[in-house]
Amino acid sequence: MENQQEGPVRRERSARRRRVLLASAAGCVVLGGVLVLLPRERSAEPAPPSPVALAMEAVGSGVPAALPGLTELIEERREAVRKRPRDATSWAVLGAAYVERGRRLADPAYYPRAEKALRTSLSVRPRRNTRALEGLAALSNARRDFPAARRWGEAALKLEPRRWTTYPLLIDAYTGLGEYKAAKRTLDRLTRLRSGPAVLARAAAVYRDRGWREDAAASRAAGAGGARAPAERAAYLERAGQLAFERGDLDVALRHFREAVRLDPDQFAARAGQGRTLAALGRTTEALNAYRAALAGQPCPRYALELGELYESLGMPEAARERYGLLRERVRRAAAGGADEELVLGRFEADHGDPKAAVRRLRAEWKRQPGTEVADALGWALYRAGETDEALRFALTATDTERGGGVLDAASMYHRGMIEQKLNRHGAARRHLTEALRINPHFSPLQAPAARTATEALGEPPDEGVPEMDGGAG
């Protein structure tokens, strides 16, 4: 009976979520209509907000801010604290602006400055300083220190339970720790407090992590449509492009990425997304140019790894090694700024360096913050290091929807299928490799071809009625 009810219940949940999205979008339309109908005083158009005002609003509400506005805001607040060194609010705003600039530029050198400003704010106002606590939670998330982000976020929430801007920070922290049910509960509380583009964007991330791709796409679209500032809208479109790429909808992904770059030329994540998508479409020269542009503006280790693998797939090992060298350099710089890039370094070592070193790094990462991404990376590193039985345990964890995740991306299904093939679980291997290619047949320039080769080697399943030995539960 439980299985019979599961489908209707899931459909009802999905319908309920869509009704919430439609209501939120309708609210934006109604509000817009009301504003249009209000009489204009002396027919004077209000002056558009300055870049500093837009950046201040964005930093205060935790939404993406434009780089030029951030630069001006930082200079303004530095001058403010120089004149008024006991201005706790200005110190907190300065710290939050440093966090956002460091994140946008993938420059961890901003993070120690952010921490100094935020801790100064706390020292000036040690009690009821929610803004500084939120800034420290945002800084910890940017550094991928999710246990610290949870501590700071929960401390902020305890002070002001109805302050909506704390909830997205906690959702990110819980997700990084693999606490997906806590992330969903926190989202439910957030949506009772607040609606609008920022909340819709956060909901989309939670829905995506739980495998509710249609709901995630609807929420992404509504969030992007309601965003006011170009930088905010561009960020939401970039995430919509990510979601479309993950499900193999390359034309839609490319359209989102291009629009994001048009709206905000400093949207370097969207430029990397263009590179990823153009490579999948076989437009190699354009892909290389897009990746180079992304790395020039935001030299994060993940883009260096992706570009290196693209060069490797094209038979250009020297160019690949150069990008892998950049990856190592950026990981070192991240560590100097207190940021954790062990996940991407572990992935790199597993496939292009020392798999045993990858296992050591990723075991430590798993012990500290056991999210689904870490489980997938550790399982793959164990497989590459020849520890296949243990590798399967982590691959199962990474693809276990009951645990609270459920994104089931193509790469994790490929990893699981390859591990199962090594263990002679041929039926399970065939299913999961086929599923990886069904989700996105172009998920990686190196691993997608390997998935096709492995699937062909496994051959067709046996005729109906002939049992196939899986070598154990699949």
Side-chain angles (χ1 to χ4, degrees):
M1 178 65 69
E2 184 176 344
N3 291 337
Q4 293 173 352
Q5 293 176 348
E6 183 179 351
V9 168
R10 185 176 297 166
R11 286 193 293 273
E12 174 59 27
R13 287 175 180 164
S14 183
R16 191 159 57 244
R17 287 193 296 274
R18 290 195 185 92
R19 285 196 293 272
V20 170
L21 294 175
L22 289 171
S24 178
C28 292
V29 171
V30 170
L31 177 59
V34 170
L35 292 175
V36 167
L37 293 173
L38 287 175
R40 293 181 181 177
E41 187 174 346
R42 298 180 183 176
S43 301
E45 291 288 345
S50 69
V52 172
L54 286 173
M56 178 69 182
E57 181 182 355
V59 166
S61 57
V63 303
L67 281 175
L70 275 174
T71 301
E72 292 186 38
L73 178 61
I74 287 170
E75 290 305 313
E76 180 189 90
R77 291 297 153 156
R78 286 177 62 185
E79 181 65 16
V81 297
R82 187 185 66 81
K83 292 178 178 178
R84 301 182 301 278
R86 296 195 62 78
D87 183 349
T89 298
S90 285
W91 279 114
V93 171
L94 178 60
Y98 276 140
V99 172
E100 176 67 359
R101 186 163 177 81
R103 187 190 66 80
R104 288 292 307 268
L105 294 174
D107 188 350
Y110 283 96
Y111 296 155
R113 302 180 212 176
E115 183 170 4
K116 181 180 179 181
L118 293 164
R119 290 191 181 277
T120 302
S121 178
L122 275 181
S123 70
V124 171
R125 186 190 299 157
R127 297 174 61 83
R128 302 199 65 79
N129 193 343
T130 311
R131 189 188 284 269
L133 295 175
E134 284 186 344
L136 286 163
L139 172 62
S140 299
N141 278 327
R143 283 171 156 171
R144 286 189 54 83
D145 185 354
F146 300 118
R150 178 176 59 186
R151 287 195 303 273
W152 292 117
E154 288 176 349
L157 196 64
K158 187 176 180 180
L159 284 180
E160 296 187 62
R162 298 191 63 79
R163 185 180 172 95
W164 76 270
T165 49
T166 305
Y167 288 85
L169 300 168
L170 275 172
I171 289 169
D172 285 349
Y174 291 140
T175 300
L177 292 167
E179 298 176 7
Y180 296 102
K181 292 180 181 178
K184 180 60 169 63
R185 287 195 302 269
T186 306
L187 174 65
D188 291 341
R189 294 176 66 186
L190 171 60
T191 53
R192 288 195 291 269
L193 285 173
R194 181 85 175 185
S195 62
V199 175
L200 289 166
R202 192 62 54 182
V206 174
Y207 296 158
R208 179 261 181 199
D209 290 337
R210 296 192 67 127
W212 302 338
R213 293 184 184 276
E214 290 184 10
D215 299 304
S219 191
R220 289 265 190 248
R228 290 187 303 159
E232 182 186 6
R233 185 158 187 260
Y236 299 157
L237 285 169
E238 185 274 327
R239 292 168 198 169
Q242 283 188 39
L243 190 65
F245 179 84
E246 285 177 359
R247 65 174 184 261
D249 198 342
L250 302 183
D251 291 335
V252 171
L254 188 58
R255 186 164 65 247
H256 286 322
F257 290 137
R258 282 181 166 163
E259 178 63 9
V261 172
R262 187 191 69 78
L263 288 168
D264 181 6
D266 296 325
Q267 179 46 254
F268 300 113
R271 292 185 185 276
Q274 283 182 294
R276 201 175 302 128
T277 309
L278 289 163
L281 289 167
R283 294 159 62 176
T284 307
T285 301
E286 294 173 84
L288 293 173
N289 289 335
Y291 267 125
R292 291 186 194 112
L295 277 167
Q298 189 184 35
C300 76
R302 180 191 169 190
Y303 305 159
L305 176 59
E306 290 182 8
L307 180 54
E309 291 186 336
L310 178 56
Y311 276 126
E312 198 169 324
S313 73
L314 297 171
M316 302 171 69
E318 287 298 326
R321 278 194 289 273
E322 182 179 339
R323 271 61 191 187
Y324 297 154
L326 174 63
L327 181 153
R328 291 185 183 278
E329 177 198 338
R330 298 305 298 186
V331 168
R332 285 192 293 270
R333 291 188 60 179
D340 175 6
E341 291 288 358
E342 291 296 290
L343 177 58
V344 70
L345 184 57
R347 285 173 168 163
F348 163 73
E349 292 286 4
D351 281 322
H352 311 286
D354 182 350
K356 292 187 183 298
V359 169
R360 289 194 297 272
R361 290 179 181 280
L362 293 168
R363 279 195 197 281
E365 190 76 356
W366 173 257
K367 186 176 181 180
R368 200 166 70 89
Q369 37 197 31
T372 297
E373 283 188 305
V374 181
D376 173 56
L378 177 52
W380 184 245
L382 286 162
Y383 163 79
R384 296 283 295 176
E387 301 177 46
T388 317
D389 288 322
E390 190 180 6
L392 182 61
R393 179 166 66 86
F394 283 99
L396 292 172
T397 298
T399 55
D400 179 12
T401 56
E402 295 302 317
R403 189 170 177 270
V407 63
L408 299 184
D409 62 34
S412 63
M413 298 304 284
Y414 163 74
H415 293 157
R416 178 172 171 175
M418 294 297 286
I419 293 166
E420 288 165 334
Q421 183 190 40
K422 187 72 172 179
L423 291 170
N424 294 320
R425 301 183 176 209
H426 298 305
R430 184 183 295 106
R431 287 194 300 275
H432 294 124
L433 290 169
T434 301
E435 178 67 4
L437 294 169
R438 185 197 66 78
I439 294 170
N440 182 1
H442 311 285
F443 66 92
S444 161
L446 290 178
Q447 294 187 342
R452 285 189 284 273
T453 299
T455 305
E456 291 167 4
L458 286 165
E460 295 296 324
D463 293 336
E464 190 173 338
V466 178
E468 180 173 15
M469 299 302 292
D470 263 356

